[in-house]
Amino acid sequence: MTYGQDGFSRRERGERAARTHAAEDPWLGPSRRQRRQDASGGLSTPGLIGLALAAAAGVAAIGVLGAQRSASGGRTGGDPNRGSAAWRKPEIERSITIEDVPADELYRRLREPETLQRIMAPFATVETTGDGQTRWSVGHDLGSWDMRLTDDRPGEALRWEAQGDDALIRDVSVRFRAAGNRGTVVALHVSLDPPGGMLGRIATQMLGDTLPASLASKSLHYFKALVQTGEIPTTERQPAARPDPR
Amino acid sequence: MRALVWHGKEDIRCDSVTDPEIEADRDLIVKVTSCAICGSDLHLFHNFIPAMLPGDVMGHETMGEVVETGRGLNGKLKKGDRVVVPFTIVCGECDQCKRGYFSVCQKSNRKKHLADKVFGHTTAGLFGYSHLTGGYPGGQAEYLRVPFADTTVQKVPHGIPDEKLLFLSDIFPTGWQAAVQADIQPTDTVAIWGCGPVGQMTIRSAILLGAEQVVAIDRLPERLEMAEAGGAITINFEEEDVVERLNALTGGEGPEKCIDCIGMESHLSPSMPDTVYDRAKQVFMAESDRPHVLREMIYVCRPGGLISIPGVYGGLSDKIPMGAAMNKGLTFRMGQTHVQRWTADLLRRIEEEQIDPSFVITHEVSLDKGPEMYRTFRDKQDSCIKVVLKP
């Protein structure tokens, strides 16, 4: 274990992770103080991502164990890309069933810039820059990048792919399929390129893709709520005897 | 006569034992023509079921020909009749039998006091399944005494080969009950853990009962192939994440019906750390069962769904996520099979060729090869799925 694919030395990575630890944005999570509040106030996904990065920065030794476990574990199977799971880029897929809304309508809603922006909020801030181009940002430290709509089939599928190398999310695709007479199944597939080079990847592996998967579930839940009720449920504005009522 | 005899942990031998005799009026003696090794025999083989005594005769999947009858059968059964012997011995008269709860018959367990102590109340007597269930000699033998014969056995016609009928004794009704008690609806996804013989019967039963999709989980290619041939979608748990795949197959909702055809001895693997924890506790006698499947089912089952457990559990299980089970509003149905509820109907389905249960047989050998077949079956060598023994 020497250098990560991103070319950072171990020390540099440590510094980078230490910097990110204190920052506050959707990817890095709030400060330590705020995280503690989240623990009592509900599940804050950015907070979880922050924890993942803290794990990446702080526990390289456990990372080694994690890598060994992945290499010897039965789940890696015969796929050469999965043989050493530490190097596999996290790919996650989650589905949700949306009752009584046909695929065409779901497609149309997802093509609206405002909808995309709101449901992708757990992952990144999305701005439309015109002509199928969107700019995704995850905070000043980890930057922003462009994603282009590369697949656009009404009622069937949508896919955005990152342009350039600095993207934390390589691609996002959404597929729609009818679920009998029970509505439409929406499958969200996300390929990530986590920060922190190899350590980040190991951390993501150790946690079994749990964190990005919970983000994906959250996005889908937002989408379902938005198309069915016109709003995304939140506890943000409710009174509570905490500085941050979430 | 020759019989397969339990001598201790992983020690089963083909010995000579005395021939059985008629002991009571409703007894009969069956000359065994075919018998089988059941997955639940492996729990005895591994000494996970308490109250086995060295010298006990094994076996509870048996069929044959009536050669001797007691005086109290009132002509219902006579010499030369062909019968399948279900593994549950039922009196047909007690309150539980009258309600159709045959596997908890109140009369047939001769060692009721043991079962009372361990389970709180007695369960039915079973063939060849420890002194907890009556200490009856089993049917992996040349001859078998059947008590309460008129209410216990299923008479079958001549002209259909043993291989099609033998599994009426256990695995076919067991898989069938597992599916029936899951109350399968046409819109249901039914997920089945374990593609051993009971799993295979459950898969086919769930399809016969009209499930929208049936998903089968195992790790052995030959078993997954057999499941696929039966109409199931398969998941190899060594290659794929079971929870993730089941959610993907159900649009994120989870399967409505989950069936555990594994029971107390989940596959041990470091990739499923809870199985290692359970094994460690088993070694120190702090837990008797390894309930990995049960935990996974509770986690993935759709809220409001149902969990059906034909797999055998023997004692105590730890770390069952009752919080998830309760809050998701799951229904649990389980139990040893009330075989006699189903045999007549299933015999009809075999005669009508809706199903031929012999598809599951991979090995057919003579009784004296039994001891080595226990190992072959346990170790899944030679693609072994189901062993039939011929005395």
Side-chain angles (χ1 to χ4, degrees):
Chain A
M1 202 195 287
T2 51
Y3 288 88
Q5 283 180 340
D6 59 2
F8 282 100
S9 74
R10 210 175 308 183
R11 195 174 60 80
E12 282 166 333
R13 261 200 312 275
E15 280 168 7
R16 189 174 165 193
R19 249 195 345 266
T20 60
H21 185 68
E24 260 186 69
D25 66 48
W27 271 88
L28 305 170
S31 68
R32 196 189 294 264
R33 189 178 65 84
Q34 245 178 319
R35 256 202 318 276
R36 206 164 38 240
Q37 287 157 359
D38 285 341
S40 58
L43 199 72
S44 160
T45 326
L48 291 176
I49 285 284
L51 283 177
L53 290 178
V59 258
I62 299 176
V64 175
L65 287 175
Q68 279 170 349
R69 202 195 98 192
S70 312
S72 62
R75 282 178 191 245
T76 46
D79 181 349
N81 296 323
R82 303 174 81 188
S84 172
W87 296 104
R88 184 166 65 90
K89 288 180 182 171
E91 302 227 358
I92 41 164
E93 178 155 320
R94 284 291 178 275
S95 315
I96 202 164
T97 304
I98 303 183
E99 301 84 10
D100 305 326
V101 186
D104 289 335
E105 169 69 5
L106 293 173
Y107 164 85
R108 195 184 61 72
R109 291 299 302 272
L110 197 53
R111 283 290 269 123
E112 291 168 359
E114 197 211 352
T115 309
L116 185 66
Q117 193 177 48
R118 292 184 71 183
I119 70 163
M120 286 301 160
F123 284 102
T125 306
V126 180
E127 289 168 84
T128 310
T129 49
D131 193 29
Q133 281 279 33
T134 43
R135 185 144 192 89
W136 297 49
S137 36
V138 290
H140 12 276
D141 257 25
L142 292 162
S144 53
W145 69 98
D146 290 321
M147 288 186 92
R148 169 172 286 282
L149 190 62
T150 54
D151 191 8
D152 182 6
R153 280 172 287 155
E156 280 180 50
L158 282 163
R159 179 186 170 98
W160 293 265
E161 272 178 69
Q163 312 290 299
D165 294 332
D166 292 334
L168 291 177
I169 299 174
R170 297 304 318 165
D171 63 74
V172 174
S173 62
V174 178
R175 279 172 291 113
F176 307 100
R177 70 180 159 84
N181 53 5
R182 279 169 293 166
T184 310
V185 174
V186 182
L188 171 64
H189 185 105
V190 181
S191 311
L192 297 167
D193 198 354
M198 186 179 65
L199 280 178
R201 230 161 265 139
I202 289 171
T204 319
Q205 277 306 314
M206 278 173 58
L207 295 162
D209 299 345
T210 312
L211 301 174
S214 81
L215 296 186
S217 297
K218 201 167 177 179
S219 278
L220 287 170
H221 176 213
Y222 281 6
F223 185 47
K224 179 171 177 170
L226 201 57
V227 293
Q228 287 189 327
T229 70
E231 62 179 357
I232 293 170
T234 175
T235 55
E236 259 173 46
R237 292 185 298 276
Q238 71 182 1
R242 297 183 292 279
D244 179 349
R246 276 179 298 176
Chain B
M1 66 166 184
R2 305 291 287 166
L4 298 190
V5 173
W6 191 91
H7 285 272
K9 190 182 174 188
E10 299 186 18
D11 184 4
I12 284 169
R13 303 175 208 161
C14 188
D15 287 346
S16 284
V17 298
T18 47
D19 286 356
E21 290 169 9
I22 298 281
E23 292 174 27
D25 287 350
R26 290 170 65 192
D27 284 3
L28 57 75
I29 305 290
V30 172
K31 182 179 193 303
V32 178
T33 53
S34 297
C35 56
I37 303 176
C38 178
S40 62
D41 285 330
L42 295 178
H43 303 317
L44 302 177
F45 187 58
H46 293 146
N47 203 12
F48 276 130
I49 302 282
M52 281 299 281
L53 293 176
D56 284 345
V57 178
M58 299 284 298
H60 58 264
E61 298 184 357
T62 303
M63 68 178 294
E65 186 194 323
V66 175
V67 289
E68 224 181 311
T69 54
R71 282 171 305 168
L73 293 171
N74 300 323
K76 280 186 197 158
L77 290 155
K78 51 187 189 306
K79 274 185 204 172
D81 280 351
R82 200 172 175 217
V83 293
V84 171
V85 186
F87 74 97
T88 45
I89 302 166
V90 309
C91 74
E93 305 162 335
C94 70
D95 188 56
Q96 295 287 14
C97 282
K98 280 181 187 157
R99 291 165 190 251
Y101 297 130
F102 297 114
S103 76
V104 289
C105 167
Q106 292 169 314
K107 262 194 188 172
S108 57
N109 189 347
R110 300 179 298 186
K111 301 209 171 171
K112 178 178 179 304
H113 58 284
L114 282 180
D116 278 345
K117 236 178 236 159
V118 176
F119 296 140
H121 296 92
T122 190
T123 55
L126 311 179
F127 288 104
Y129 216 73
S130 92
H131 288 259
L132 214 49
T133 59
Y136 289 97
Q140 286 166 7
E142 287 179 278
Y143 294 93
L144 175 68
R145 177 180 85 96
V146 182
F148 301 110
D150 50 337
T151 43
T152 295
V153 302
Q154 173 65 46
K155 222 165 126 173
V156 292
H158 293 273
I160 303 174
D162 275 15
E163 286 72 11
K164 285 190 180 187
L165 299 171
L166 175 60
F167 303 134
L168 285 172
S169 58
D170 181 352
I171 58 171
F172 186 22
T174 295
W176 182 258
Q177 178 172 306
V180 168
Q181 74 187 0
D183 190 20
I184 293 169
Q185 303 297 309
T187 51
D188 281 350
T189 294
V190 179
I192 295 166
W193 277 255
C195 298
V198 168
Q200 300 292 346
M201 295 297 160
T202 309
I203 290 163
R204 310 237 170 180
S205 300
I207 284 170
L208 270 175
L209 289 166
E212 184 180 89
Q213 57 179 355
V214 173
V215 189
I217 304 151
D218 205 294
R219 68 189 173 92
L220 300 168
E222 64 274 14
R223 295 185 180 205
L224 290 169
E225 267 166 40
M226 192 181 267
E228 212 172 338
I233 298 164
T234 58
I235 301 179
N236 183 332
F237 69 81
E238 284 189 332
E239 289 169 6
E240 294 176 278
D241 185 298
V242 173
V243 171
E244 215 169 276
R245 184 83 198 287
L246 284 173
N247 276 323
L249 285 166
T250 52
E253 305 272 329
E256 283 83 1
K257 307 291 157 67
C258 296
I259 305 182
D260 175 359
C261 298
I262 299 280
M264 62 194 283
E265 293 188 65
S266 273
H267 180 60
L268 260 172
S269 162
S271 66
M272 303 182 293
D274 64 316
T275 61
V276 180
Y277 161 87
D278 289 327
R279 184 71 195 112
K281 290 199 77 167
Q282 280 178 335
V283 168
F284 292 107
M285 312 271 270
E287 184 183 20
S288 54
D289 302 356
R290 291 197 301 270
H292 169 78
V293 168
L294 197 47
R295 295 182 187 122
E296 194 160 81
M297 288 198 305
I298 291 172
Y299 188 71
V300 77
C301 190
R302 185 176 188 187
L306 184 147
I307 288 186
S308 164
I309 312 174
V312 173
Y313 286 82
L316 304 176
S317 292
D318 281 9
K319 307 283 183 288
I320 302 300
M322 278 314 288
M326 186 274 163
N327 285 284
K328 290 167 87 171
L330 304 183
T331 298
F332 285 71
R333 292 207 176 139
M334 58 192 93
Q336 294 283 7
T337 311
H338 306 299
V339 184
Q340 287 80 359
R341 259 195 218 176
W342 316 109
T343 42
D345 177 46
L346 294 180
L347 173 60
R348 174 186 63 84
R349 289 174 190 267
I350 292 168
E351 287 176 315
E352 287 175 4
E353 296 182 344
Q354 290 183 29
I355 184 167
D356 172 3
S358 68
F359 74 89
V360 81
I361 301 170
T362 52
H363 291 66
E364 196 167 313
V365 296
S366 62
L367 184 69
D368 57 318
K369 298 247 168 37
E372 57 192 89
M373 290 320 289
Y374 266 86
R375 284 182 191 281
T376 306
F377 179 41
R378 191 268 310 268
D379 300 333
K380 288 107 177 168
Q381 288 165 353
D382 194 23
S383 298
C384 182
I385 298 178
K386 188 71 181 176
V387 181
V388 171
L389 302 171
K390 296 282 189 178

